[in-house]
Amino acid sequence: MGGYRLIGHPLGHSMSPQIHERLFALEGRTDSYSLFPFPPDKLETQVPILRGLEGFNITIPYKQAILPFLDSLDDSAALYGAVNTVRVQDGRMTGYNTDCDGFLRTMQAHGFSLKTSVCVAGAGGVGRMFAIEAVRQGAELTIAVRDLSKGQALAREISERFGCSVQVSTLDALDRPFGLIINATPVGMSPQTGVSPLPGPVTARAGAVFDCIYNPRETRLLCDARKAGVPFAGGMEMLVWQAAVAHEIWHGSQFLPAQIDLLVDEMNALLDRKAGEADA
């Protein structure tokens, strides 16, 4: 069977096929990449199909659910307890986490430091990665959530693993400035735009803001940051970089930052065109 796919549910707004097709072209390859959506209760039944691929990517809600079906984990996946990239060799599946690579390369590109007071909004799979990496980089971490019990569970795990203190707050109770705010929630994602996960005054007092959402290009959170003159970055760079690192794993490829910058611009332009067509 071969080929490459993205598994998740739902996948209607995914730009992964366009990104990976461009990356294949940069490599001089003609591989196929397609969306493979299925409901959560069908994951186990799809594993034989997945073992027949050359590799695949994973998004919500399978980044942790896939773990029992993998044959091995790279250190990156073991560290964060979540997988977004799988390499398949002779039917054996090895899980990796390239979300972190995409995140750190985006922070570096914008000059955003994690050695500051960091607020991570959300405690799901990607929020967990952001929180763990922030602490590993020396952050003073606050986890902001709707469900305090979920945030407290993540805070306890991080405290026990890394020997640090982690604060937990509800999203609407935040009232202090942070050096960096990171949104790991789906609040503001298309088509439910116009809302922010954080109070506007908290955003306005931040040193910088990163939203992992890439559609829309500028979420309400980022709009609030822009209006307040706060440096910000959206999720497209992270999305493209984590895809590029998947190709590094699959094929040993290397991409220049300038190539990734051009691909980010191309994908943002594609988003703008789609938005214009929807408004027409």
Side-chain angles (χ1 to χ4, degrees), residues 155-254:
R156 283 194 299 271
E157 178 193 345
I158 292 174
S159 296
E160 291 169 2
R161 288 178 64 182
F162 300 101
C164 60
S165 176
V166 178
Q167 302 299 312
V168 182
S169 171
T170 57
L171 289 160
D172 57 5
L174 291 171
D175 62 356
R176 55 163 288 195
F178 294 95
L180 175 64
I181 288 173
I182 300 171
N183 179 38
T185 78
V187 177
M189 184 184 297
S190 179
Q192 297 178 335
T193 58
V195 292
S196 172
L198 298 177
V202 175
T203 304
R205 289 186 290 163
V209 175
F210 171 65
D211 196 334
C212 71
I213 292 172
Y214 67 86
N215 186 9
R217 183 173 178 176
E218 184 175 289
T219 60
R220 173 63 184 273
L221 175 66
L222 297 185
C223 180
D224 289 345
R226 177 175 53 78
K227 289 178 178 177
V230 175
F232 65 87
M236 186 62 78
E237 283 175 83
M238 177 176 163
L239 180 68
V240 173
W241 267 120
Q242 62 81 26
V245 176
H247 285 245
E248 293 176 10
I249 292 166
W250 292 333
H251 313 132
S253 303
Q254 295 292 323

Side-chain angles (χ1 to χ4, degrees), residues 75-124:
D75 290 345
S76 61
L79 176 63
Y80 304 112
V83 169
N84 78 314
T85 295
V86 173
R87 181 175 62 179
V88 185
Q89 292 180 304
D90 299 323
R92 290 182 54 83
M93 302 192 299
T94 302
Y96 298 79
N97 189 306
T98 70
D99 281 333
C100 182
D101 298 276
F103 169 56
L104 291 178
R105 295 189 195 194
T106 300
M107 295 299 96
Q108 182 180 27
H110 289 270
F112 294 170
S113 174
L114 290 167
K115 294 181 180 180
T116 184
S117 55
V118 174
C119 174
V120 174

Side-chain angles (χ1 to χ4, degrees), residues 1 29 33 55 110 126 175 183 216 246:
M1 179 170 52
R29 302 175 67 97
Y33 190 100
H110 289 270
V126 71
D175 62 356
N183 179 38

